[in-house]
Amino acid sequence: MDLLVVGSGFFGLTIAERAAASDRKVTVIDRRPHIGGNAYSEDEPNTGIEVHRYGAHLFHTSNPGVWEYVNRFTTFTDYVHRVYTNHKGVVYPLPINLGTINQFFNAAYSPDGARALVQELAGEFDAKDAANLEEKGIALIGRPLYEAFIRDYTAKQWQTDPKNLPAEVISRLPVRYNYDNRYFNDTWEGLPTDGYTAWLERMADHPNIEVKLDTDFFDESQPLNKGTTVGQLPIVYTGPVDRYFDYTEGALSWRTLDFEQEVLEVADFQGTPVMNYADADVPYTRIHEFKHFHPERADRYPTDRTVIMREFSRFASREDEPYYPVNTAEDRNGLLAYRELAKSEKDVLFGGRLGTYQYLDMHMAIGSALSMWNNQLQ
Ligand code: FDA
């Protein structure tokens, strides 16, 4: 074996695929029973509808190198992501755009008219002086839109009143002064035609790659553990950086999600893939309805059933899946200390969202793995 990769998410698989293509023998271990990390998806057994096990995953990128690379393993549908939100029983388009504003104020503002209105409403606070997230939100889009679409949703995401969250949590709140409600504005966007798992399996499908599932790097009873491998061969580690160093500099904080999945005996539950719930009286943040991610599969998906998934957000304990870095000042100091420790760890490179403690979209995880391969490993 020439290289050990810990973690079979997009970061680890990109490294493994590049190494295998350069004639290196690679072993990939993952503590989960499946490959693919958080991008893993599977067909719900009763309906055959593809469900994204760790939350909805939409692929989008403006990076030509990444787009060329991912197209070696999958084709993409022409899916374009759009999100709606339910506020007080009325459904509005997101991100906040001219359609949202006119529906909310029951008006017909022109782009300039809406811009002037938001500017006037936002005058209540200066963004520079905002003492907390609430003041920052109001300074960016004005109190009415902030209170309707941001305040309670953010409170649910963070289990914290936005008055008690730091202003830096949001840098901007995009408002579009036209009716464009495409969620992403990247050059390329789509979903893998035959699903995420088929794509991920094709990346790992090489005679030079061996994948070992249910294998935890910190489990001393399995042969490829930290104690037996570090210093013996190059390792790319994509698990949590604080866990690697036994939390000596403190545990970095994360938010996690709980998912509640249900098969319903209706053809169509909400008419769209993702519906957010903006208000405090609904405990979940959003509902996904997976059949809408693949309208082109209408002939093989059932017409009398659908799969929905309610998403709840909360702070993660050590036992939970870490999803979004909280990134407090304490976390940032801890991360700097871990980065110093990582520098002196012989032949171990830290990558991916857990290994670097940052939120990475899939195209960013793949792009940074390609860079690590080209600049540090090749
Ligand atoms: P990832 O977490 O996928 O993989 C790490 C792997 O390491 C895991 O399989 C884990 O089991 C393994 N591991 C950890 N510790 C280990 C140990 N001790 N021993 C062995 N293995 C270990 N992106 C996007 O582009 N569009 C989207 O719509 C979304 N949506 C989205 C929703 C939600 C809820 C989340 C949390 C994330 C997204 N993402 C996303 C981001 C996407 O999931 C992310 O880019 C990839 O998961 C990053 O891949 P990594 O390989 O870095 O980590």
Side-chain angles (χ1 to χ4, degrees), residues 123-250:
E124 191 178 332
F125 289 102
D126 189 333
K128 288 197 303 297
D129 307 329
N132 55 49
L133 191 151
E134 173 140 321
E135 291 184 10
K136 181 84 167 272
I138 294 170
L140 291 170
I141 60 171
R143 188 179 285 277
L145 293 170
Y146 164 79
E147 287 184 348
F149 299 115
I150 310 294
R151 183 187 59 194
D152 295 356
Y153 192 83
T154 307
K156 287 197 283 191
Q157 280 183 309
W158 292 91
Q159 294 177 291
T160 307
D161 185 327
K163 284 195 197 92
N164 300 324
L165 286 168
E168 308 90 75
V169 170
I170 44 171
S171 51
R172 48 192 288 275
L173 288 172
V175 175
R176 294 187 189 152
Y177 295 102
N178 57 33
Y179 290 90
D180 175 13
N181 74 327
R182 262 185 89 146
Y183 202 75
F184 303 114
N185 40 30
D186 275 314
T187 313
W188 297 285
E189 176 174 0
L191 289 170
T193 311
D194 52 2
Y196 278 97
T197 297
W199 169 9
L200 293 153
E201 280 172 351
R202 270 182 226 119
M203 291 181 79
D205 182 18
H206 192 287
N208 289 343
I209 300 180
E210 185 182 6
V211 179
K212 290 179 189 289
L213 301 174
D214 291 310
T215 304
D216 191 320
F217 190 52
F218 303 103
D219 173 3
E220 288 171 7
S221 71
Q222 65 85 12
L224 294 174
N225 66 63
K226 184 182 173 194
T228 58
T229 56
V230 172
Q232 305 302 313
L233 81 168
I235 296 174
V236 172
Y237 173 82
T238 74
V241 63
D242 51 358
R243 170 71 188 90
Y244 183 95
F245 293 107
D246 259 332
Y247 305 104
T248 47
E249 307 296 325

Side-chain angles (χ1 to χ4, degrees), residues 52 57-59 74-79 189-196 199 292-297 362:
H52 302 171
H57 276 67
L58 301 318
F59 189 80
T74 182
T75 53
F76 288 86
T77 66
D78 55 9
Y79 177 81
E189 176 174 0
L191 289 170
T193 311
D194 52 2
Y196 278 97
W199 169 9
H292 294 301
F293 286 126
H294 288 283
E296 80 288 353
R297 294 181 189 166
M362 291 178 281

Side-chain angles (χ1 to χ4, degrees), residues 5-13 29-40 52 54-60 81 184 191 196 212 214-219 222 237-240 243 254-255 257 259 286 288 311 321-324 351-356 358-366 368:
V5 175
V6 180
S8 68
F10 268 119
F11 194 98
L13 285 184
I29 63 169
D30 204 296
R31 64 190 177 99
R32 288 178 176 165
H34 60 74
I35 66 162
N38 278 7
Y40 172 77
H52 302 171
Y54 303 94
H57 276 67
L58 301 318
F59 189 80
H60 55 99
H81 196 46
F184 303 114
L191 289 170
Y196 278 97
K212 290 179 189 289
D214 291 310
T215 304
D216 191 320
F217 190 52
F218 303 103
D219 173 3
Q222 65 85 12
Y237 173 82
T238 74
R243 170 71 188 90
W254 292 83
R255 281 190 296 124
L257 300 174
F259 299 112
R286 48 187 181 168
H288 307 277
E311 186 175 306
E321 288 295 343
Y323 281 145
Y324 299 105
R353 58 182 203 98
L354 302 168
T356 59
Q358 57 181 326
Y359 179 81
L360 296 175
D361 269 327
M362 291 178 281
H363 66 283
M364 297 157 86
I366 295 165
S368 71

